């Protein structure tokens, strides 16, 4: 949560408004008017959002809901339940990958099309309407299988390494058909956070080695965000190699991140500058169940999210392309009170999850393997301010939670009070 605010609403505004000489080649707020009053209103909205998040995160972290769990799930790590769910996730991920790529002529053809589409050539190369395109969201089941196996490795040793390797290979295959730098980073962070949540549920504090590790990881991620799209494009160009891309890339620290998130600042400028704004009252959040239904199969017309209006204000086109971010979504929904509501919900859930992580350790619960996927998808996609994208991204994780709940019903037993 703090990292999101530091990057999106801290670093990006500085680069956009004050350090154009350094980040000018990476920043583009699309010619929107940077009126001083608008900038002041944006600053106030961001401060309101941040302090609301601090308050509600603390409230969730102090919640007593998980302090005295009524039920204990035995030693789940040593039962068949977790292995069964791992197998289900792996099979569903593999089947979804096959079903999705089949409609495009097979796996390798789909990877090739992904690379071409990432270059903006979809109109020339897309060979099907993709009636089953929604299945792509289920391919990330492979990520969840990798998370489960990582928890096993962290808690029980290297004998579970083959499970992790199998899930990692499938996850890499899935990442290639997504062609998304964000998905790759999320997968890597899932594994790291799962290992940490399993080994150190109550945290380990700031250790020099840990700090150095995350600094190096951040720099690698920053470089990858900047060069990743060009690397993907080089795979399908005879006159361009990965080596050429890397050697020709002019790296400026944090510039790729600024270039990736500057649209959130442009969204705020657009939203606060738009005099004809009518509040949406969270209509797209209430429509979340509709986004789970494959519209092309059932002919259901789904309402567009506020992202469409935001994209029009930023780019001048009516498309679902640019999410407004946490503060922008709250402002579109209900003005400044909407910023408080959206920020409060976002932070309270994160606080509640952190509290649960401290209580439900891996030897008593399966929660640590749910924690990393849920926190990352919620923390990233809710912060983007797009309920539709959040719903589709979290669907595999919700399926994982339901699977655990179903399988653990027969294992649950009341915790007996200690005898006096």
């Amino acid at each position: 949560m703090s990292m999101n605010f530091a990057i999106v609403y801290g670093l990006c505004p500085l680069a956009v408004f004050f350090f154009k000489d350094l980040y000018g080649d990476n920043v583009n707020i699309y010619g929107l008017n940077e009126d001083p009053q608008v900038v002041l209103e944006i600053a106030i909205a961001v401060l309101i959002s941040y302090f609301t998040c601090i308050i509600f995160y603390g409230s969730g972290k102090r919640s007593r809901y998980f302090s005295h769990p009524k039920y204990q799930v035995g030693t789940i790590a040593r039962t068949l339940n977790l292995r069964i769910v791992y197998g289900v996730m792996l099979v569903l991920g593999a089947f979804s990958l096959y079903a999705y790529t089949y409609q495009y002529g097979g796996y390798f053809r789909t990877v090739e099309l992904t690379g071409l589409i990432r270059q903006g050539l979809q109109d020339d190369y897309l060979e099907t309407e993709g009636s089953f395109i929604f299945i792509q969201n289920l391919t990330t089941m492979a990520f969840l299988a990798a998370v489960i196996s990582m928890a096993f490795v962290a808690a029980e040793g290297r004998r579970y390494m083959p499970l992790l390797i199998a899930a990692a290979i499938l996850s890499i295959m899935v990442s290639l058909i997504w062609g998304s730098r964000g998905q790759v980073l999320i997968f890597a962070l899932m594994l790291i956070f799962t290992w940490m949540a399993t080994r150190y549920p109550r945290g380990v504090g700031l250790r020099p080695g840990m700090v150095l590790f995350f600094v190096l990881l951040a720099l690698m991620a920053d470089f990858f965000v900047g060069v990743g799209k060009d690397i993907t494009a080089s795979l399908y160009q005879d006159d361009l190699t990965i080596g050429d891309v890397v050697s020709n890339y002019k790296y400026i620290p944090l510039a790729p991140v600024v270039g990736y998130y500057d649209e959130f600042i442009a969204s705020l400028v657009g939203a606060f500058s738009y005099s004809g704004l009518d509040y949406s009252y969270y209509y797209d959040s209430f429509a979340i169940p509709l986004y789970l239904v494959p519209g092309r199969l059932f002919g259901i017309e789904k309402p567009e999210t506020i992202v469409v209006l935001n994209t029009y204000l930023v780019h001048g086109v009516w498309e679902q392309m640019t999410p407004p971010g946490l503060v922008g979504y709250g402002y579109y929904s209900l003005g400044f009170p909407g910023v408080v509501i959206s920020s409060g919900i976002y932070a309270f859930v994160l606080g509640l999850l952190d509290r649960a992580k401290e209580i439900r350790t891996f030897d008593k619960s399966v929660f640590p393997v749910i924690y990393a996927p849920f926190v990352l998808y919620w923390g990233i996609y809710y912060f983007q301010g797009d309920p539709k994208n959040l719903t589709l991204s979290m669907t595999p994780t919700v399926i994982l939670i339901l699977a655990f709940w179903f399988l653990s019903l027969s294992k649950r037993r009341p915790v007996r009070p200690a005898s006096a």
Side-chain angles (χ1 to χ4, degrees):
M1 182 182 76
S2 298
M3 185 65 72
N4 278 338
F5 272 97
I7 293 175
V8 177
Y9 297 126
L11 174 65
C12 288
L14 289 175
V16 169
F17 297 126
F18 300 105
F19 294 101
K20 287 186 177 180
D21 292 340
L22 181 61
Y23 293 101
D25 293 337
N26 300 88
V27 170
N28 184 359
I29 62 169
Y30 312 100
L32 296 174
N33 181 27
E34 304 161 34
D35 182 85
Q37 181 178 347
V38 170
V39 174
L40 177 61
E41 291 176 355
I42 290 174
I44 293 172
V46 170
L47 287 174
I48 289 174
S49 177
Y50 180 71
F51 285 111
T52 299
C53 283
I54 294 296
I55 293 170
F56 277 84
Y57 174 82
S59 178
K61 190 73 182 291
R62 292 189 299 270
S63 172
R64 300 180 62 85
Y65 181 78
F66 291 105
S67 298
H68 303 287
K70 185 182 294 185
Y71 293 101
Q72 183 170 304
V73 192
T75 310
I76 292 295
R78 301 182 186 279
T79 68
L80 290 176
N81 283 4
L82 204 51
R83 299 185 187 93
I84 291 173
V85 176
Y86 166 86
V88 171
M89 295 294 107
L90 194 69
V91 170
L92 283 177
F95 175 78
S96 300
L97 180 64
Y98 171 79
Y100 176 74
T101 57
Y102 177 81
Q103 63 185 325
Y104 294 107
Y107 177 78
F108 292 104
R109 179 55 178 163
T110 305
V111 173
E112 183 179 4
L113 287 172
T114 298
L116 295 170
I117 290 170
R118 298 297 289 178
Q119 298 178 61
L121 303 175
Q122 61 268 26
D123 293 336
D124 298 326
Y125 289 96
L126 197 59
E127 299 173 343
T128 175
E129 293 182 355
S131 299
F132 298 99
I133 196 169
F134 70 94
I135 294 179
Q136 185 184 31
N137 295 297
L138 300 181
T139 60
T140 54
M141 293 283 189
F143 295 173
L144 304 182
V147 164
I148 295 172
S149 55
M150 174 58 82
F152 269 129
V153 170
E156 310 241 340
R158 295 181 180 179
R159 67 179 182 274
Y160 286 98
M161 189 63 72
L163 299 184
L164 177 59
I165 292 173
I169 291 174
L170 183 61
S171 298
I172 292 171
M173 295 177 66
V174 167
S175 298
L176 289 175
I177 64 104
W178 274 88
S180 169
R181 296 163 293 175
Q183 285 291 346
V184 173
L185 292 177
I186 287 174
F187 171 56
L189 289 174
M190 275 187 189
L191 296 185
I192 295 171
F193 287 175
T194 299
W195 185 84
M196 293 180 64
T198 305
R199 292 291 296 270
Y200 309 106
R202 291 173 178 81
V204 293
L206 288 177
R207 298 179 178 179
M210 191 72 71
V211 172
L212 178 61
F213 170 76
F214 278 106
V215 168
L216 292 175
L217 183 66
L219 291 175
M220 291 172 60
D222 184 45
F223 183 86
F224 177 72
V225 169
V227 80
K229 186 178 292 187
D230 291 333
I231 288 179
T232 302
S234 71
L235 297 176
Y236 312 100
Q237 296 183 22
D238 295 334
D239 58 345
L240 185 64
T241 66
I242 295 178
D244 295 333
V245 171
V246 174
S247 61
N248 294 331
Y249 178 63
K250 297 179 180 179
Y251 176 67
I252 299 175
L254 300 178
V257 172
V258 170
Y260 193 82
Y261 287 111
D262 65 343
E263 290 183 341
F264 285 13
I265 306 304
S267 297
L268 288 179
V269 175
F272 280 82
S273 302
Y274 184 42
S275 58
L277 179 65
D278 293 324
Y279 296 144
S280 66
Y281 299 105
Y282 301 98
Y283 76 89
D284 42 3
S285 291
F286 292 114
I288 277 178
L290 293 177
Y291 299 137
L292 295 173
V293 181
R296 292 183 179 179
L297 290 182
F298 298 98
I300 295 178
E301 199 68 33
K302 304 174 187 178
E304 296 289 358
T305 67
I306 199 65
V307 175
V308 176
L309 173 61
N310 185 67
T311 304
Y312 174 75
L313 295 179
V314 174
H315 295 281
V317 293
W318 290 98
E319 294 183 7
Q320 182 157 321
M321 186 169 61
T322 304
L326 178 68
V327 178
Y329 182 71
Y331 188 79
Y332 279 126
S333 300
L334 199 60
F336 283 97
V339 173
V340 174
I341 293 171
S342 297
S343 303
I345 294 173
Y346 168 74
F348 182 80
V349 171
L350 291 177
L352 203 63
L353 290 169
D354 276 354
R355 177 60 176 166
K357 178 175 69 71
E358 296 176 355
I359 300 299
R360 298 182 178 271
T361 55
F362 190 66
D363 62 327
K364 297 179 180 180
S365 171
V366 298
F367 183 80
V369 301
I370 297 172
Y371 173 80
F374 199 103
V375 165
L376 282 168
Y377 282 127
W378 180 270
I380 292 173
Y381 289 106
Y382 191 109
F383 203 89
Q384 287 184 355
D386 184 357
K388 180 179 179 180
N389 202 10
L390 172 68
T391 303
L392 296 177
S393 299
M394 292 196 67
T395 298
T397 305
V398 172
I399 294 174
L400 175 67
I401 294 172
L402 293 176
F404 280 137
W405 176 78
F406 176 77
L407 286 173
S408 65
L409 283 179
S410 60
K411 300 288 183 181
R412 286 190 173 187
R413 60 182 185 275
V415 176
R416 296 179 179 177
S419 58

